[in-house]
Amino acid sequence: MKTLHSSLVPFVLMGVSLTIASGVITWHTGDAVTGGLGVLGVSVTMLRMLGVLSFRRRMAGEQPLTKDEILRLRRPCAIATLSVSLVLGLLAARSLQLGDPTCSTLAFSFGFGFGASLIARLALLPQLAVAALCVLGLPAITVALMQQDLPHLGLALVMIIFIVTGFELLRLSYRSSIGQIHLKEQYERLSRMDPMTGVHNRSALASDLPALIADRSRPMVAIYAIDLDHFKAANDRFGHPVGDALLKQVASRLTSLLGSGGLVVRMGGDEFILVDTSLLSRDAARSLAQRIVDVVAAPYYIDGHDVVIGVSVGAALSEGQTSSADVLLSRADRALYQAKAARGGFVLADAQGREEAERPSSWHARASTDTLFLAASAA
């Protein structure tokens, strides 16, 4: 859609050029039809300019355009593009009927230039570009073939070749543009992903969390700050490959707990953030916190080793309050600090900062004692 409204400059230049071309032909031949086509083309061009300005005002608004709104805006743009193409095609055809070589050269030069701009501007809208090229070329081709002489036959063939070549250029340009878009999307996904665990990284949290909190249709946003207890001991005892595999399994377990909306983020080391937007009550948030403790602290079997670690969780809830992402993350971090001071389990804080600690689960209590339980079996 933006390719149709990228700049006012092409439309201004087209309007000026069309005025000059139609004005010169009309003045030179006295043909009223050419003058009428020129007025019609300039009028449509001015309407397109108004459409560009209207689109820019909509884009500058606070609310982003919906898909349906974008489709509604695309229709008048497509109609205007086809209308201008038809006017230029008729102008070229009329110049052939008038039989003046200078006027024909002027009209055809403008038409070929406009056709080239269609290929350049509408690479991502190939159906519209193909239709516009056909509408642009068919009137002049028809008139040229009706003359039934060799020069006009050659002109018709050249125009047909130009249109077919335009189709091929559109195909190649479309494939190249789509490839670049997919490559850009892939880079963006990689920039938001933690390469070890496959979950999101800190940059994704910074970009997505404010939007999740600002969405007033969500009754609650729950943020869980998660820290693995004694992960370093497991990493030192069994080696970095086991530690890396352990982080991957933790990320997988956290992802399995995520509701219909939210994200799992690895902040670095053995720290994770889970954001859930599907919860409807404080009791549901408390229940999810307990499930995080139970699921993450359950034993792991990695490369022949039985590994049991602990987990501490600090949770903060928005509960419909107007809170920034930084405020909620800070509350979750403070709750996590209290959970670690209590040697595991979770601490739940609401939007007013009230905190509620829970007893560790059986697995977590087992892993959070002074003597770390790490059982190794033969590989």
Side-chain angles (χ1 to χ4, degrees), residues 82-353:
L82 293 174
S83 299
V84 173
S85 300
L86 180 59
V87 168
L88 295 180
L90 293 174
L91 187 63
R94 184 60 177 173
S95 69
L96 285 178
Q97 291 178 334
L98 294 174
D100 187 290
T102 302
C103 294
S104 296
T105 301
L106 184 59
F108 274 85
S109 298
F110 190 50
F112 277 105
F114 181 74
S117 73
L118 289 176
I119 297 172
R121 288 193 304 113
L122 301 180
L124 291 176
L125 297 171
Q127 296 90 346
L128 176 59
V130 167
L133 283 175
C134 291
V135 170
L136 176 66
L138 287 179
I141 292 173
T142 302
V143 171
L145 292 175
M146 290 173 60
Q147 304 302 313
Q148 297 182 353
D149 57 37
L150 185 60
H152 285 90
L153 177 60
L155 177 61
L157 290 176
V158 168
M159 293 181 65
I160 292 173
I161 293 173
F162 173 78
I163 293 175
V164 173
T165 303
F167 293 166
E168 178 63 13
L169 290 176
L170 276 172
R171 185 183 69 85
L172 295 176
S173 182
Y174 177 77
R175 291 180 57 183
S176 176
S177 298
I178 293 298
Q180 291 178 3
I181 291 174
H182 287 166
L183 186 62
K184 181 180 178 180
E185 291 175 346
Q186 183 178 2
Y187 283 148
E188 289 179 350
R189 286 194 299 269
L190 291 175
S191 69
R192 293 163 49 86
M193 181 182 298
D194 176 57
M196 178 183 294
T197 61
V199 298
H200 292 93
N201 59 20
R202 298 174 69 102
S203 65
L205 182 69
S207 61
D208 292 0
L209 183 57
L212 293 175
I213 295 174
D215 187 352
R216 308 313 300 168
S217 66
R218 305 179 188 276
M220 174 186 295
V221 176
I223 299 177
Y224 299 89
I226 302 161
D227 186 82
L228 306 181
D229 298 333
H230 307 301
F231 170 77
K232 185 178 184 302
N235 199 43
D236 292 343
R237 178 169 182 175
F238 299 124
H240 292 292
V242 172
D244 293 345
L246 177 60
L247 290 174
K248 294 177 183 178
Q249 291 194 24
V250 169
S252 178
R253 292 186 184 186
L254 290 174
T255 302
S256 70
L257 293 173
L258 193 63
S260 58
L263 65 158
V264 175
V265 177
R266 183 187 176 210
M267 299 296 287
D270 59 351
E271 298 179 2
F272 293 83
I273 293 286
L274 187 148
V275 181
D276 198 304
T277 62
S278 65
L279 303 176
L280 301 178
S281 66
R282 183 176 176 82
D283 288 339
R286 184 185 300 108
S287 176
L288 177 57
Q290 184 61 63
R291 292 202 307 275
I292 291 174
V293 172
D294 292 339
V295 170
V296 175
Y300 298 83
Y301 184 77
I302 302 173
D303 292 340
H305 303 290
D306 291 311
V307 182
V308 178
I309 58 173
V311 62
S312 299
V313 179
L317 311 178
S318 66
E319 294 185 306
Q321 303 293 323
T322 303
S323 299
S324 68
D326 290 339
V327 169
L328 289 177
L329 286 172
S330 177
R331 288 174 179 162
D333 283 339
R334 289 200 301 269
L336 173 62
Y337 178 80
Q338 294 189 12
K340 291 182 71 67
R343 311 194 54 179
F346 70 86
V347 172
L348 180 64
D350 62 15
Q352 285 74 38

